[in-house]
Amino acid sequence: MKKRFLTGFTMIELLVVTTIMIILTTIALVSYRNATQNSRNAKRKTDVQTVRQALVLYRSDNGCYPEDSTYLEMVATISEYLSEIPYDPQGSEAEPGYTYTPSGVGSCNTTEATGFSLEATLEPDDTAYTVQNP
């Protein structure tokens, strides 16, 4: 009489492998989410620095910073100093996601706009990244 050996996996082996796959998938998804957030935050910081540089160039040519009250108005004013208008990675042309606040507002001929503040909101905890001049 021959003994027959059953081949295949036991239920325990299948549960262990499935659990390991679920854990590895969860780790990968969390890492991907963090990487995409970090990427968007890096773009926001770069955008703010690019706009800051364009504003400094604008001031060197015009003697003051733009008096515009919103980010969209300001980038329209300095558009010749930008190769493209920066928007938040999750924003749009209508809602750019950045804010611009001039300080010492007045016309370039009278009271000069002597400074500005640019702000972007970083993920995941809505931390403000602010650049001010001066």
Side-chain angles (χ1 to χ4, degrees), residues 67-82:
E67 304 167 19
D68 303 309
S69 60
T70 67
Y71 177 80
L72 290 175
E73 291 171 355
M74 180 270 301
V75 291
T77 302
I78 66 165
S79 62
E80 67 183 84
Y81 300 94
L82 296 167

Side-chain angles (χ1 to χ4, degrees), residues 2 7-8 10 21 32-33 36 56 76 82 85-86 88 95 98 100 109 114 117 121 125 127 129:
K2 272 184 163 182
T7 59
T10 65
M21 289 175 56
Y32 177 75
R33 182 174 163 245
T36 55
V56 169
L82 296 167
I85 296 175
D88 186 277
E95 294 290 329
Y98 302 132
Y100 169 74
N109 299 329
T114 57
S117 173
T121 304
D125 56 358
T127 304
Y129 176 74

Side-chain angles (χ1 to χ4, degrees), residues 32-75:
Y32 177 75
R33 182 174 163 245
N34 288 339
T36 55
Q37 281 181 349
N38 290 340
S39 174
R40 287 191 299 264
N41 285 339
K43 182 182 182 325
R44 289 177 181 109
K45 290 177 181 180
T46 302
D47 285 350
V48 168
Q49 290 298 332
T50 300
V51 172
R52 184 194 67 77
Q53 290 173 349
L55 283 164
V56 169
L57 289 172
Y58 177 88
R59 181 172 189 230
S60 70
D61 289 345
N62 297 287
C64 64
Y65 295 110
E67 304 167 19
D68 303 309
S69 60
T70 67
Y71 177 80
L72 290 175
E73 291 171 355
M74 180 270 301
V75 291

Side-chain angles (χ1 to χ4, degrees), residues 75-123:
V75 291
T77 302
I78 66 165
S79 62
E80 67 183 84
Y81 300 94
L82 296 167
S83 58
E84 64 180 52
I85 296 175
Y87 298 111
D88 186 277
Q90 293 183 315
S92 66
E93 288 186 30
E95 294 290 329
Y98 302 132
T99 58
Y100 169 74
T101 308
S103 60
V105 177
S107 70
C108 286
N109 299 329
T110 58
T111 309
E112 295 182 356
T114 57
F116 64 86
S117 173
L118 288 169
E119 186 175 300
T121 304
L122 303 179
E123 296 177 70

Side-chain angles (χ1 to χ4, degrees), residues 23-38:
I23 290 170
L24 291 175
T25 303
T26 302
I27 291 170
L29 288 174
V30 169
S31 296
Y32 177 75
R33 182 174 163 245
N34 288 339
T36 55
Q37 281 181 349
N38 290 340

